[in-house]
Amino acid sequence: MTTLTARPATDLDILTAAVRAATARGADWQDTADRVAGALREHLPSPGQLLRPDQLVGEPGTSSGHMLHVEPDGSFSMMAIVWQPGAETRVHDHVTWCVFGVLAGAEHEDLYTLSDDGTALIEAGANPNPAGEVSGFAPPGDIHRVRNLGDATAVSLHIYGTDLDRVGSSVRRFYDLPVQG
């Protein structure tokens, strides 16, 4: 008779179970983002628990995403993003709610709103997000840009309320508009 031994739960397994419980409550997007942010705060892993050392390297000004989990029912995806110094996204919004936690370094977020006539972006604030910071948001009103302004590599864990393998990206649209202060 062969005895099967279950593998011990990893930090990612524990976090995935917590996110699964948070998303199973059937709430609206903002409430879901708040619940998932709470789960991530409680179970925030370190980069070394999620990524191999070779996944943390890259050229200055670049970022790389590493898919960690896609829930079988498509309700959420988890991706680690490695931001080299100088890396930045284009200004964008999302197709669904998003939660992120900074695991190492710092991630700078520039926030925007769209002008009433839709022809310009209006600066709405900035968040310096150091390691340990967790935040969640939901459309509408989620227009932002993310940058690594520091001299060290930054790593963040992003949880999106969709199946990224199916939709390809969490970005709904990019905004190439003039910015008003």
Side-chain angles (χ1 to χ4, degrees):
M1 177 170 173
T2 304
T3 303
L4 297 176
T5 332
R7 70 172 175 81
T10 66
D11 293 325
L12 183 59
D13 294 332
I14 294 166
L15 174 60
T16 301
V19 171
R20 189 175 292 129
T23 59
R25 296 186 182 185
D28 67 33
W29 278 1
Q30 187 58 60
D31 188 48
T32 299
D34 293 342
R35 291 176 192 268
V36 171
L40 183 55
R41 272 187 206 94
E42 187 175 336
H43 303 286
L44 193 65
S46 70
Q49 294 167 319
L50 302 177
L51 300 171
R52 299 182 314 269
D54 65 296
Q55 293 175 309
L56 298 172
V57 298
E59 296 297 317
T62 65
S63 62
S64 56
H66 305 278
M67 188 63 71
L68 301 173
H69 177 80
V70 176
E71 189 66 359
D73 69 1
S75 59
F76 67 91
S77 300
M78 301 168 75
M79 176 180 283
I81 301 178
V82 179
W83 308 88
Q84 299 305 328
E88 67 179 56
T89 66
R90 292 171 57 193
V91 177
H92 64 280
D93 62 6
H94 292 272
V95 297
T96 186
W97 59 264
C98 175
V99 171
F100 69 90
V102 181
L103 309 181
E107 196 179 272
H108 183 87
E109 184 180 27
D110 299 311
L111 307 170
Y112 303 93
T113 59
L114 194 58
S115 65
D116 289 339
D117 64 3
T119 62
L121 293 171
I122 301 167
E123 292 179 346
N127 293 325
N129 298 306
E133 184 74 24
V134 173
S135 184
F137 54 84
D142 62 323
I143 303 171
H144 69 155
R145 169 179 62 182
V146 180
R147 302 185 286 163
N148 179 356
L149 299 176
D151 296 329
T153 299
V155 180
S156 54
L157 175 58
H158 295 243
I159 306 171
Y160 300 102
T162 190
D163 179 343
L164 289 182
D165 281 344
R166 183 179 60 78
V167 299
S169 171
S170 69
V171 173
R172 179 171 57 150
R173 68 181 152 211
F174 293 105
Y175 294 85
D176 296 318
L177 298 172
V179 176
Q180 299 174 352

